[in-house]
Amino acid sequence: MKLSRQLVVGSLAVLVLSACSSSPAQRRQAKNDFTYLETKPFTPWVLPEGATPQYYPNYEIPKGEFVGAVGGEVDIRPPQQILELIPGARSERQDGDSTLWMIRQDEVDTVWQTALSMLQERGVKVRKQTDNYLETDWVNWSSEDEDTTLGSRYEFSRVAANNRFGFRVSLIDWRENGKVVPVSTTNKERYNIFMTNLVTSRYDQYRREEAARRAEELVKQIPITMGADRSGLPVIIARTPYEVLWQRIPTLMPSMGFTIEERNQSQGTIKARYASPDDEFWYRIGVKPMNLRAGTYTFLLGDLGNRTSINVTNSAGRPVEQELLQEMVPVLAAMVQPEE
């Protein structure tokens, strides 16, 4: 998942497309000038003797010493948001730190292991580590919105409160052009969220890979039989949902001698050219060769709920004979069996 079109961390390479050629400072600052900074200090309002002042609190300026950026130091970039890629997790931000709260201990344990793997994959060194605490070495960031090369160090920690389990990310050190400097509130929050999103994105990738692996394991156990569609015509029946079979069929067909030319998942069609495999293939799977002629065929997959129908038509668009479908059943069944 693409976290930011402007961000690069470690060895991660991102192609950045920019529609403007302005300087990094201009991309962070408002376009108008800052002449308001030249405003003269307010002077007390002198009333005529005997006049009674009347004040309306609607526009009263609060009194006190307020510290904050002004003029060109004001960062106008939109605030970063934590990507909600962990199901059931609730994000919390406080004093620049980010915490992902989960209900179960095993969920935060998985996120913790994901963070460790992510750091290792990106070559981020670790300075200190315990079972529930980790302190990173410097992480270098490069952004087209920044004038300098930035670096930051982080703390990862596992926490618990109110029967919830959390994973916390804290930015603890900051440097610009190799020099350690105090981190601004804006940069602390911004780059803390960047790191949090790297973890959540890696977690999402891990879950997707795990789901694909499980789907592949399920598809290896698919029973393949002959059956009939809703019109009573003979079809091959795979006892698995359409989405599961679709992920596997394109890898099965080349092994059977089909070269895929076109695929359309929404229509459930696969156009392929057939050439019979050699004798070694048929001997290896223990099935008699099919009497299917060389040529182009279209496979039509139908969604039957927890089952999927497979029909085959020739280049003229006519269904192949039932005998050919029956010959194809043991071939498909042999191909989806788990390897010993």
Side-chain angles (χ1 to χ4, degrees):
M1 176 160 288
K2 191 174 180 181
L3 298 180
S4 170
R5 68 184 183 87
Q6 300 175 339
L7 187 61
V8 181
V9 57
S11 60
L12 177 64
V14 177
L15 295 178
V16 179
L17 301 177
S18 180
C20 61
S21 58
S22 58
S23 68
Q26 288 176 322
R27 286 191 285 270
R28 296 194 308 270
Q29 296 173 357
K31 292 184 178 180
N32 297 328
D33 58 30
F34 306 114
T35 54
Y36 68 88
L37 297 176
E38 302 173 5
T39 303
K40 296 181 180 180
F42 293 129
T43 58
W45 190 2
V46 180
L47 297 173
E49 185 177 354
T52 301
Q54 299 290 333
Y55 294 103
Y56 293 89
N58 307 58
Y59 308 104
E60 185 176 358
I61 299 176
K63 296 180 180 180
E65 294 294 331
F66 301 97
V67 179
V70 295
E73 298 299 321
V74 177
D75 194 332
I76 65 168
R77 291 175 295 178
Q80 294 296 313
Q81 298 293 325
I82 297 176
L83 300 176
E84 297 181 356
L85 299 176
I86 302 178
R90 187 178 68 85
S91 61
E92 179 182 82
R93 288 183 290 175
Q94 186 175 11
D95 298 329
D97 296 342
S98 304
T99 305
L100 300 173
W101 290 105
M102 283 149 275
I103 302 298
R104 301 202 314 267
Q105 175 74 51
D106 61 327
E107 291 177 331
V108 76
D109 291 344
T110 302
V111 175
W112 178 262
Q113 292 301 322
T114 300
L116 298 182
S117 299
M118 184 273 295
L119 293 177
Q120 185 176 9
E121 291 168 0
R122 300 185 183 280
V124 179
K125 296 181 180 180
V126 175
R127 288 192 179 184
K128 299 178 183 178
Q129 182 176 354
T130 65
D131 291 341
N132 297 308
Y133 174 84
L134 180 147
E135 181 180 320
T136 73
D137 204 346
W138 289 104
V139 178
N140 294 322
W141 304 92
S142 178
S143 170
E144 66 176 11
D145 289 344
E146 304 290 354
D147 301 287
T148 61
T149 301
L150 305 177
S152 52
R153 295 200 312 113
Y154 295 88
E155 288 179 347
F156 293 169
S157 54
R158 281 188 282 193
V159 295
N162 301 323
N163 295 322
R164 298 181 303 167
F165 304 92
F167 172 79
R168 180 168 296 160
V169 180
S170 304
L171 193 156
I172 57 175
D173 274 329
W174 183 258
R175 69 182 182 186
E176 298 177 2
N177 282 337
K179 182 180 179 181
V180 178
V181 296
V183 58
S184 67
T185 301
T186 299
N187 284 336
K188 181 177 182 180
E189 182 177 89
R190 188 176 188 85
Y191 285 88
N192 203 75
I193 292 177
F194 277 151
M195 177 57 73
T196 304
N197 284 341
L198 284 177
V199 176
T200 59
S201 296
R202 184 61 185 90
Y203 178 91
D204 181 67
Q205 179 185 350
Y206 164 76
R207 286 301 188 190
R208 290 175 183 272
E209 292 172 351
E210 182 69 12
R213 185 190 65 79
R214 290 180 179 178
E216 186 174 352
E217 291 296 323
L218 288 174
V219 82
K220 290 180 179 180
Q221 307 296 332
I222 297 174
I224 306 291
T225 60
M226 279 296 295
D229 62 12
R230 293 185 176 93
S231 302
L233 298 176
V235 292
I236 299 173
I237 297 295
R239 300 187 180 278
T240 189
Y242 172 84
E243 292 79 6
V244 176
L245 184 62
W246 181 265
Q247 294 186 35
R248 183 61 174 151
I249 267 290
T251 61
L252 294 176
M253 291 179 60
S255 303
M256 298 167 56
F258 291 94
T259 301
I260 297 177
E261 297 178 341
E262 298 177 9
R263 287 192 297 163
N264 189 314
Q265 184 174 1
S266 62
Q267 296 180 6
T269 57
I270 303 174
K271 185 179 179 180
R273 187 176 66 256
Y274 178 71
S276 181
D278 54 25
D279 293 340
E280 181 181 352
F281 168 79
W282 301 110
Y283 176 79
R284 178 169 55 83
I285 66 173
V287 177
K288 293 182 180 180
M290 296 187 297
N291 292 315
L292 193 65
R293 295 180 180 179
T296 300
Y297 297 86
T298 299
F299 287 71
L300 179 62
L301 278 60
D303 189 351
L304 304 178
N306 61 350
R307 299 175 301 157
T308 305
S309 64
I310 305 173
N311 205 346
V312 185
T313 60
N314 58 25
S315 57
R318 299 188 181 92
V320 301
E321 294 83 356
Q322 182 175 350
E323 292 76 13
L324 291 176
L325 289 179
Q326 290 174 333
E327 291 179 0
M328 200 175 294
V329 167
V331 180
L332 280 170
M335 297 306 297
V336 299
Q337 292 302 314
E339 297 181 359
E340 299 295 339

